[in-house]
Amino acid sequence: MKTVQPGPEIESFYHLSGVEMENRRCRGLGCFAAKAQDPSGWRTALAQWPPVYCLGKCYASPSSTETIGDPRIEIHCDEPIVLAGVSDGSQQDYAAYRAAGGYTALERVIRSAPEWAIEQLELSQLRGRGGAAFPAARKWRAVHGQDESRKFVVANADEGDHGSYIDRFIIERTPHRLIESLLIAGHAVGADKGYIYLRKEYPVAEEKLRAALKEATAEGWLGGNFELELVIGQGSYVCGEETSLLNSIEHRRPEVRSRPPYPTQAGLFGAPTLVNNVETLASIPWIMLNGGEAYAKKGIGQSRGTKAVSLNSLFKRPGLYEVEFGVPLRTILKDIGGGLKASTIKAVMVGGPLAGVVRPEEFDVAFGFEEMQAIGASIGHGGIVAFDDLTRMPDLLAHIFSFGAVESCGKCVPCRIGTGRAQALFDRIAQEGELSVAEAVELKSLLQALRLSSLCGHGTGLAEVAASILAKFPEEFPSCLR
């Protein structure tokens, strides 16, 4: 296993490498939506360089690294799965987690054949909660089926989607659940080492994880047949994409890899690798204890089980909630979130800055992967950012593309060059309210190139959110773009 030592060309890729995080202000979507509540703070955020996109404090936006306090955390389904112990903070150390039944799922899996764990996951119909909604069991079976002596499991805790703070609080309040889930995954697929890739913007989560890793090692769960290592990211949205994340762990430039081969075939250090996000892994102990069929009874259509959602500060009841798939989006926004504090909702964006918007007349849609996709939106990671009537859609697109240009890994031409040029054109619309016909043709061409030619979801997502906003709010843009 060859490790490449990072050089200047790699360190310079990251926005926060060597950057002190004191008094840093956030400029994520949640803070953009709430900028009218603190105009001077927002101006400070825009002036700070390098930028910090989402601190996972969207419930208290506009936020900074000094913002304190925890959000409201509640269960709005029959029983908690991913937020068990998170809602009441009752399982933060080993003794408390063990007393609540922690590691019994792992014990059950160890007594069984690896095939049994994968079969339960298949029965559960669990899909990845990181945004792509890929069937989790398909990844597990693919890695399990690889005839290699060296395999890895990786927890993607690089929760960079603006508006999301789900993984953050799962880790901070139930760190041992993540460790147990990775041990279960390792046993099932035949891996003897795992990694947790955690973003630098979550220092409390890092502290909790390091303490939990020491406890798990002292109790004999780690250090024998399975090793687990914590890696801290240095500021890069694209590292949320699994192949970029793997390159980052290897100390290589964290650009997106071309596929095939897929990580399940040749991932970390060229070995078969299972990559799941934190919320996906958080469902595993419940499934192993209660059975995949019991999990699949919850939800709707092809969206089974429960989902954690996080609401931004414009809501009357911002916070972190667990709901069952199939609940109407309106119920989440109005009944659980209470609507907005000061005005009506103009639109919401679910799943981060690369997702389509939802207008109020669409709020009765069932909260499910295919159901949301049918209206040009998504579930994504589950962060919900509401925008009120003070938000101008040209301003929103200019802001999203400024983020997109900064965070592009630069590997593919459409994203490296197209995002910056599209940002300039959206800036012009926001500032002047117009474009020439030639500029409109250029912008349409740029968006099409992003959609068709980008290597990963960063470029395609930017094109999709632009198409969504232009289609649903055409009256706010020059007629030549319609």
Side-chain angles (χ1 to χ4, degrees), residues 247-269:
N247 281 340
S248 184
I249 293 176
E250 293 179 10
H251 300 301
R252 300 181 185 275
R253 186 173 175 85
E255 297 173 331
V256 175
R257 298 180 185 179
S258 299
R259 285 162 288 191
Y262 295 92
T264 54
Q265 302 165 305
L268 193 61
F269 304 111

Side-chain angles (χ1 to χ4, degrees), residues 6-311:
E9 75 284 358
I10 296 174
E11 294 296 328
S12 64
F13 180 94
Y14 299 101
H15 311 315
L16 302 180
S17 179
V19 174
E20 295 295 330
M21 296 298 290
E22 288 80 6
N23 196 30
R24 304 292 300 181
R25 286 192 167 269
C26 178
R27 64 166 86 170
L29 277 182
C31 294
F32 170 86
K35 63 184 185 297
Q37 299 176 16
D38 184 7
S40 63
W42 179 249
R43 287 193 294 270
T44 300
L46 293 178
Q48 286 183 338
W49 192 265
V52 174
Y53 286 108
C54 203
L55 290 167
K57 300 179 180 181
C58 319
Y59 52 89
S61 295
S63 64
S64 71
T65 49
E66 278 64 51
T67 302
I68 58 173
D70 288 344
R72 183 193 308 267
I73 304 177
E74 294 178 354
I75 308 302
H76 285 266
C77 51
D78 289 342
E79 61 178 314
I81 296 178
V82 297
L83 296 187
V86 180
S87 58
D88 58 10
S90 62
Q91 300 178 23
Q92 297 191 38
D93 60 22
Y94 178 80
Y97 184 68
R98 187 66 165 148
Y103 290 100
T104 56
L106 174 61
E107 290 171 330
R108 181 174 185 179
V109 169
I110 291 174
R111 292 193 301 268
S112 308
E115 179 71 20
W116 178 86
I118 298 175
E119 287 175 353
Q120 294 307 309
L121 200 56
E122 287 173 333
L123 289 171
S124 75
Q125 302 177 50
L126 175 68
R127 295 168 69 176
R129 302 301 196 240
F134 191 82
R138 197 178 301 175
K139 283 187 174 183
W140 285 43
R141 186 166 290 285
V143 178
H144 171 73
Q146 295 294 319
D147 187 19
E148 301 286 345
S149 61
R150 189 69 161 155
K151 299 178 183 179
F152 297 97
V153 293
V154 177
N156 183 347
D158 194 54
E159 184 180 41
D161 280 343
H162 309 182
S164 299
Y165 43 93
I166 298 163
D167 293 354
R168 176 192 160 195
F169 281 96
I170 290 175
I171 293 172
E172 288 184 8
R173 296 194 174 190
T174 55
H176 280 279
R177 178 177 292 125
L178 179 57
I179 295 172
E180 180 182 16
S181 299
L182 286 167
L183 282 160
I184 291 172
H187 178 78
V189 305
D192 59 6
K193 182 160 186 180
Y195 289 85
I196 301 172
Y197 188 94
L198 177 68
R199 62 199 308 253
K200 183 176 182 177
E201 294 89 335
Y202 287 178
V204 176
E206 178 184 354
E207 176 187 342
K208 297 287 186 177
L209 266 178
R210 292 198 185 281
L213 288 169
K214 288 182 180 179
E215 290 178 320
T217 301
E219 296 293 334
W221 297 109
L222 296 175
N225 297 324
F226 189 84
E227 297 179 359
L228 191 54
E229 184 175 333
L230 178 61
V231 177
I232 305 300
Q234 295 300 311
S236 171
Y237 178 77
V238 78
C239 282
E241 194 277 335
E242 61 182 10
T243 63
S244 298
L245 182 152
L246 297 179
N247 281 340
S248 184
I249 293 176
E250 293 179 10
H251 300 301
R252 300 181 185 275
R253 186 173 175 85
E255 297 173 331
V256 175
R257 298 180 185 179
S258 299
R259 285 162 288 191
Y262 295 92
T264 54
Q265 302 165 305
L268 193 61
F269 304 111
T273 303
L274 172 69
V275 184
N276 284 142
N277 97 305
V278 171
E279 187 184 352
T280 307
L281 290 164
S283 295
I284 300 302
W286 193 98
I287 292 170
M288 297 303 147
L289 286 174
N290 296 275
E293 290 182 347
Y295 187 86
K297 289 179 180 178
K298 304 175 184 292
I300 182 177
Q302 297 181 57
S303 305
R304 313 313 303 180
T306 65
K307 180 75 185 78
V309 297
S310 51
L311 307 184

Side-chain angles (χ1 to χ4, degrees), residues 454-473:
S454 298
L455 284 173
C456 79
H458 190 70
T460 56
L462 287 167
E464 288 169 4
V465 70
S468 174
I469 291 175
L470 289 168
K472 294 187 178 184
F473 293 91

